């Protein structure tokens, strides 16, 4: 569970009948990119090894501790994202999209549902007996200038962008 100014963020994994599935969930605080300063930036890695191939449902959601004044869906390249506002405070929850999952994980994203306070992904084709990892991103910011800073959390909550490219990983080793 991750504590944010908007409330507690949780990730739940279930089968297609909404029965809970045990998964390892790691909350990793990430450095903030100076081009897009935010107050908090986290990567959430959800890992599971299914016993059989079946549809899996992944939900990232928060329980609001503030009054939400607005919300918007803000998708992008390799990104499914929804943001919520309370005045000048903004929270963004991001997930990878269908193209990213097909290319990098060889699975099918069959449905994305934007909830009142979260996002649900339905994924088919996770191989039985193999570890699968699904990343989510979370970012929030108290904005001084809404027009100039509204995109900061969008960039910082994109989970695909939280992994350095392979060429950079090789240089660092």
């Amino acid at each position: 569970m991750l504590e944010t100014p908007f409330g507690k963020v949780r990730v739940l994994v279930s089968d297609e009948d909404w029965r809970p599935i045990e998964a390892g969930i790691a909350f990793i605080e990430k450095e903030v990119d100076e081009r897009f300063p935010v107050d908090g930036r986290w990567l959430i890695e959800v890992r599971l090894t299914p016993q059989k191939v079946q549809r899996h449902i992944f939900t990232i959601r928060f329980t609001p501790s503030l009054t939400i004044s607005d919300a918007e869906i803000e998708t992008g390249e390799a990104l499914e994202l929804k943001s919520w506002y309370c005045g000048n405070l903004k929270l963004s929850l991001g997930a990878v999209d269908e193209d990213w999952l097909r290319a990098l994980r060889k699975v099918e994203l069959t449905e994305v549902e934007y909830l009142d306070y979260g996002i649900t992904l339905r994924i088919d084709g996770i191989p039985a007996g193999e570890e699968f990892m699904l990343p989510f991103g979370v970012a929030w910011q108290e904005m001084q200038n809404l027009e100039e800073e509204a995109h900061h959390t969008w960039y910082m909550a994109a989970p695909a962008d939280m992994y350095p490219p392979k060429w950079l990983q090789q240089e660092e080793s």
Side-chain angles (χ1 to χ4, degrees):
M1 181 170 23
L2 172 65
E3 193 71 47
T4 76
F6 278 78
K8 294 176 180 164
V9 174
R10 290 185 170 86
V11 176
L12 309 165
V13 182
S14 57
D15 66 15
E16 61 189 327
D17 294 322
W18 293 97
R19 290 184 298 251
I21 293 176
E22 190 160 327
I25 302 172
F27 295 90
I28 305 161
E29 189 169 10
K30 299 297 282 184
E31 283 188 30
V32 174
D33 186 320
E34 60 193 40
R35 296 172 299 160
F36 307 109
V38 294
D39 300 328
R41 181 182 189 214
W42 290 78
L43 171 66
I44 302 172
E45 291 183 341
V46 181
R47 294 178 189 278
L48 63 104
T49 305
Q51 299 305 307
K52 62 181 182 176
V53 176
Q54 64 183 9
R55 173 168 292 155
H56 289 82
I57 302 170
F58 296 82
T59 301
I60 183 169
R61 61 178 308 132
F62 68 99
T63 305
S65 60
L66 302 170
T67 301
I68 305 298
S69 58
D70 198 12
E72 61 186 336
I73 295 168
E74 302 178 274
T75 61
E77 187 176 334
L79 181 63
E80 299 288 349
L81 185 135
K82 186 169 181 180
S83 296
W84 294 264
Y85 295 86
C86 175
N88 280 353
L89 187 60
K90 180 180 181 183
L91 171 73
S92 295
L93 301 180
V96 292
D97 72 356
E98 178 181 15
D99 293 337
W100 190 94
L101 284 165
R102 191 177 299 122
L104 276 82
R105 297 291 188 263
K106 311 287 191 257
V107 297
E108 292 294 320
L109 176 61
T110 58
E111 185 180 353
V112 176
E113 184 179 357
Y114 291 98
L115 310 171
D116 287 343
Y117 305 114
I119 304 170
T120 292
L121 305 174
R122 286 178 176 78
I123 297 176
D124 286 344
I126 300 173
E130 292 181 25
E131 184 181 67
F132 175 81
M133 190 278 289
L134 180 68
F136 289 101
V138 180
W140 63 88
Q141 178 183 13
E142 177 78 45
M143 297 174 285
Q144 304 306 311
N145 183 325
L146 192 63
E147 193 173 304
E148 289 181 15
E149 298 172 296
H151 63 284
H152 290 189
T153 61
W154 183 83
Y155 281 111
M156 294 294 96
D161 293 342
M162 293 191 198
Y163 297 96
K166 290 209 182 304
W167 61 267
L168 184 59
Q169 290 175 2
Q170 290 167 351
E171 283 181 7
E172 290 174 351
S173 324

